[in-house]
Amino acid sequence: MAKTPMRPKFWYLKQFNLFEGITDSDLMAIENFTIEHYLGKKELVFEPGRKLDTVYILKEGEVILYQVHEGKKIILDILKPGSFFGNISLNPNEQTTHYAEASDNIRICALSTEAFLAVVRRYPEIVLRLLQMVTEKMREYEDRIKSTTVLTAKEHVLEAIKIIQRNDERNFLPRILRKRTKITHEKLASFTGLARETVTKAISELEKEGKLKVDGRKIISDAESVQ
């Protein structure tokens, strides 16, 4: 299988919609302040309690944001290339409250909060885009919380799959280079907060109804059924 071509940092920065409208010369200046990191599967970008003075752009791979409550892993978000995470509040004293873990080999671009603030001062419109991104994410989190009380287990599972698919579509890599999120019973249980047994039962019923297809341990949704 052909290897994914290695692209320069500048290419990724130019694809990132947060930096839309920034001149090439300024993007090159930003590039000089960024540091690339390569992490393997299951490696942590950060963990709870750490002072976070960095913002990250995910360039390749997948990052899972999660918390651990009473020994149970609760997925907050599944990030795809083009995602912006880390110290998005831009508070220099912020501490992390969750884990950011590579679910496969990843390539990320790290920029200090101080350097990012310098960019924001020069291009204040970035603040509006950042606010839109954060607002959209907060709305998604709120919808997920509400869904736990108003949706059936089957509806909850389908809603989770829809969110995962939507995140896949936000991927800024060319389609030929994109990797779909591997949807498993375990991942859906962690993402929805439902018991693993409940998720398995819901998936079985949805498969019988023709709304899901299961290939081994991987779940393949019927795209029309989750729109």
Side-chain angles (χ1 to χ4, degrees):
M1 186 171 64
K3 292 181 66 176
T4 300
M6 187 67 70
R7 290 177 167 79
K9 289 190 288 182
F10 179 78
W11 183 89
Y12 289 94
L13 293 176
K14 199 164 179 65
Q15 305 308 308
F16 193 40
N17 60 6
L18 191 68
F19 295 140
E20 184 180 348
I22 294 182
T23 65
D24 285 357
S25 59
D26 281 346
L27 272 180
M28 289 179 183
I30 295 171
E31 180 184 18
N32 292 332
F33 286 106
T34 62
I35 301 174
E36 277 197 332
H37 296 282
Y38 299 83
L39 283 77
K41 185 175 181 178
K42 298 296 182 181
E43 285 194 75
L44 293 176
V45 183
F46 54 77
E47 64 284 325
R50 176 184 138 187
K51 182 178 178 181
L52 191 59
D53 56 0
T54 308
V55 294
Y56 299 97
I57 297 172
L58 178 59
K59 299 159 77 171
E60 294 176 7
E62 180 181 280
V63 168
I64 294 181
L65 305 183
Y66 67 91
Q67 292 179 332
V68 175
H69 180 65
E70 296 181 349
K72 183 179 179 181
K73 186 176 183 179
I74 301 173
I75 294 178
L76 304 175
D77 210 348
I78 300 173
L79 306 180
K80 307 301 284 190
S83 296
F84 178 75
F85 67 107
N87 190 355
I88 58 176
S89 73
L90 303 182
N91 176 357
N93 298 313
E94 181 176 8
Q95 287 192 336
T96 55
T97 59
H98 56 274
Y99 295 85
E101 180 184 284
S103 63
D104 53 15
N105 295 334
I106 66 168
R107 186 181 180 198
I108 55 177
C109 187
L111 182 66
S112 73
T113 303
E114 182 180 355
F116 184 70
L117 282 171
V119 176
V120 169
R121 292 188 190 101
R122 184 170 176 82
Y123 292 93
E125 63 269 26
I126 289 177
V127 176
L128 293 177
R129 293 180 194 141
L130 183 60
L131 182 60
Q132 289 174 338
M133 292 169 62
V134 172
T135 300
E136 184 176 348
K137 281 296 178 185
M138 289 302 297
R139 187 180 300 118
E140 287 182 5
Y141 296 157
E142 289 171 358
D143 288 344
R144 282 175 58 191
I145 292 171
K146 291 177 183 176
S147 69
T148 61
T149 58
V150 299
L151 299 182
T152 66
K154 290 192 296 183
E155 291 170 335
H156 203 11
V157 166
L158 287 177
E159 180 66 18
I161 292 172
K162 181 170 70 173
I163 293 171
I164 292 171
Q165 289 179 330
R166 188 162 62 229
N167 284 355
D168 281 346
E169 288 302 316
R170 288 172 178 158
N171 191 328
F172 70 179
L173 291 178
R175 285 189 176 273
I176 195 171
L177 299 178
R178 296 181 185 180
K179 290 177 65 177
R180 288 284 181 183
T181 300
K182 183 179 180 182
I183 304 175
T184 64
H185 292 222
E186 181 180 3
K187 187 170 286 186
L188 284 174
S190 297
F191 198 75
T192 60
L194 297 171
R196 172 71 179 268
E197 295 78 10
T198 302
V199 169
T200 297
K201 181 181 178 182
I203 290 170
S204 177
E205 292 176 359
L206 288 166
E207 187 178 16
K208 290 177 182 177
E209 294 170 9
K211 295 180 179 179
L212 288 181
K213 295 179 182 178
V214 180
D215 181 10
R217 297 179 63 187
K218 187 170 71 170
I219 298 162
I220 305 170
S221 69
D222 179 341
E224 292 185 359
S225 72
V226 293
Q227 295 301 315

